[in-house]
Each structure stands twice: as structure tokens, then as C-alpha cells.
Amino acid sequence: GAGVSQSPSNKVTEKGKDVELRCDPISGHTALYWYRQRLGQGLEFLIYFQGNSAPDKSGLPSDRFSAERTGGSVSTLTIQRTQQEDSAVYLCASSFRGLAGNTIYFGEGSWLTVV
Amino acid sequence: EDQVTQSPEALRLQEGESSSLNCSYTVSGLRGLFWYRQDPGKGPEFLFTLYSAGEEKEKERLKATLTKKESFLHITAPKPEDSATYLCAVQMGSARQLTFGSGTQLTVLP
């Protein structure tokens, strides 16, 4: 597709359930990022993938959060045993080769509400 | 500690009233400073990347400038459709992720 595609666009889940959020980056982009944005706040870095290299997981807030990237393209962010504080928009982004200064393009986000 | 601070948090302008948004940073090894626009319920939309002090970039009514300590986003004769949250982010050292400020929420009144 032309842009970064994320699904679902909205998800309401019960506390304690697991959720999976999907990201399809721009074709040809090897770098993929996940960010979290709580209501009225800035973006928090979660994880970064570049090609076949080991991901940078330094932003993951707890071991309930994990992400994988299959075939160097689609990525899935998984949140286990969701808590109310996990409610946020989860934004995926991609860039060409992840080089310094390369433009990073964002998707529209997956809005997660934990009730 | 590396930090990105945006000011003001919120700004209300009359249509046609020019102003500037500020992004100050204390980082080591700046590789790029990025400006994004974010509309409610949407993902950030890329505006500019600045790489070195003295650099300037323009797009329509927006002009971004960069010094060694801060960046400004100048808005000339704004229109109501310029209303949005403007985000500043830096990429530093060997890191490939962006570190974001908390944004400036701009409202342009007709």
C-alpha cells in the first residue's frame, strides 16, 4: 500500500485479556517502529526493527509487551494480561533502511481501550 | 539526560496572526530534528527534517529553522486548517528511534 497500515483501528478489551495489533509498513521499508501515545501526551518509543538485526526492545515498558516481525515486513505487537494503563494509541512507523535522518512515516494508529 | 521540550503547550491565534513554536533540545550527537503535524485521531504527518545548525526549510505557510540548541516552527498568516498539534522529535547518536517532545496544540480562530 501507499502508507503504513495498522489494524484494528479500534479495539476495546477487558482487563486481563491479551491483544494483538498489526502493522504493515510501506513497501520497501526495512525499518519498523512501534510507539505508544497516551491521551494528551507525547509519543513513547517501544521497539525498533531493522532488517534481520536483533530488535531494539529498550522502550518496552514491561514483559507483558512483545513484538515480532515476520519475513522482514508485517509486525505484530502483543500485549498480554492487559491493564487499564495500557489504554492508548499504538502507532507504527516505517522508514527506508532506518538510516539516520531518513524520514519516518507513521500509520493512523490502533486505539486500544482496556475496560 | 537527553530531553526535548516544546513551548508553548497550547497556542491560540487569530487567522492571519503569525507566530512561532519552539523546540529546545539537550542531546548529544544530533543526527536530525523532525517536525510532524498531528490532527485529532490521526497519526503524525511528516513536515520537515533539519540536520545542521543554520538550516531552514519551508512548506506553504510553515518555515522550520535550527540552531545548536533549538528549532523554531514559524507559521506565517495561519489559517483555521493549520489547527493541529505540532510535534518535534530528535534522532541522536547511533539510535534510530525518534525522541519526541510533548507537542504544541495550535488553534487558529477564523
Side-chain angles (χ1 to χ4, degrees):
Chain A
V4 178
S5 178
Q6 293 188 245
S7 63
S9 54
N10 285 284
K11 175 75 176 178
V12 180
T13 189
E14 291 182 351
K15 178 181 174 181
K17 300 282 190 182
D18 297 352
V19 296
E20 288 189 348
L21 308 175
R22 175 189 167 105
C23 173
D24 200 343
I26 293 171
S27 178
H29 282 192
T30 60
L32 186 146
Y33 309 76
W34 283 99
Y35 283 81
R36 176 173 72 179
Q37 186 175 31
R38 292 191 166 118
L39 189 64
Q41 298 187 20
L43 279 70
E44 303 171 73
F45 167 73
L46 297 177
I47 189 168
Y48 161 69
F49 295 90
Q50 169 54 42
N52 296 319
S53 302
D56 176 354
K57 305 179 182 181
S58 60
L60 294 178
S62 77
D63 59 8
R64 294 187 297 105
F65 288 72
S66 63
E68 64 177 18
R69 190 177 185 191
T70 53
S73 181
V74 172
S75 176
T76 302
L77 177 68
T78 301
I79 308 173
Q80 296 178 309
R81 305 181 302 281
T82 52
Q83 304 294 313
Q84 287 184 331
E85 63 261 29
D86 299 334
S87 295
V89 180
Y90 290 84
L91 291 159
C92 178
S94 71
S95 73
F96 179 63
R97 294 169 62 187
L99 296 177
N102 277 179
T103 300
I104 298 174
Y105 297 94
F106 284 83
E108 297 293 350
S110 290
W111 291 72
L112 174 66
T113 303
V114 182
V115 297
Chain B
E1 180 181 333
D2 297 325
Q3 280 195 331
V4 182
T5 304
Q6 291 189 246
S7 62
E9 291 184 8
L11 180 63
R12 291 167 67 92
L13 300 173
Q14 290 296 132
E15 185 172 2
E17 180 186 2
S18 301
S19 189
S20 297
L21 312 182
N22 178 263
C23 172
S24 63
Y25 59 93
T26 53
V27 303
S28 52
L30 180 73
R31 302 299 295 274
L33 186 141
F34 297 72
W35 282 99
Y36 288 85
R37 168 190 172 130
Q38 187 174 29
D39 292 297
K42 301 287 188 180
E45 175 190 345
F46 172 75
L47 293 174
F48 304 108
T49 307
L50 302 168
Y51 297 99
S52 58
E55 189 175 2
E56 299 182 353
K57 288 192 177 175
E58 289 188 64
K59 178 181 179 181
E60 297 181 352
R61 295 177 292 282
L62 300 177
K63 179 180 177 180
T65 62
L66 181 65
T67 72
K68 289 186 177 180
K69 295 182 178 180
E70 58 192 349
S71 177
F72 290 94
L73 184 65
H74 306 278
I75 303 177
T76 302
K79 299 181 177 181
E81 53 262 42
D82 294 323
S83 297
T85 296
Y86 289 85
L87 299 170
C88 166
V90 299
Q91 193 176 47
M92 50 203 164
S94 60
R96 293 296 175 256
Q97 71 269 26
L98 299 179
T99 299
F100 281 84
S102 55
T104 293
Q105 185 175 7
L106 174 67
T107 303
V108 182
L109 304 171

